[in-house]
Amino acid sequence: MDKEIDNFCEECEKEYESVSQNLIIYGFKICESCRLSKNIFPI
Ligand SMILES: [Zn+2]
């Protein structure tokens, strides 16, 4: 399986280390600040 995950947020298009982590945890490719502004929490 080709594993090429970049860390660019789909919302603000900036690079953060938290983006790939949030993709795994929340299923959204977003940074921490965008996640908080959209109120996305794990179910
Ligand atoms: Zn963002």
Side-chain angles (χ1 to χ4, degrees):
M1 194 171 166
D2 194 24
K3 217 178 180 186
E4 279 215 16
I5 301 171
D6 64 61
N7 284 314
F8 284 97
C9 173
E10 285 187 340
E11 291 293 322
C12 62
E13 297 183 343
K14 289 175 184 170
E15 189 173 22
Y16 296 98
E17 273 187 34
S18 59
V19 172
S20 58
Q21 293 172 1
N22 285 340
L23 178 63
I24 293 167
I25 298 168
Y26 305 105
F28 291 94
K29 201 175 169 218
I30 56 175
C31 68
E32 198 64 11
S33 60
C34 289
R35 181 182 71 81
L36 291 172
S37 70
K38 290 171 81 74
N39 282 321
I40 297 171
F41 294 98
I43 300 169

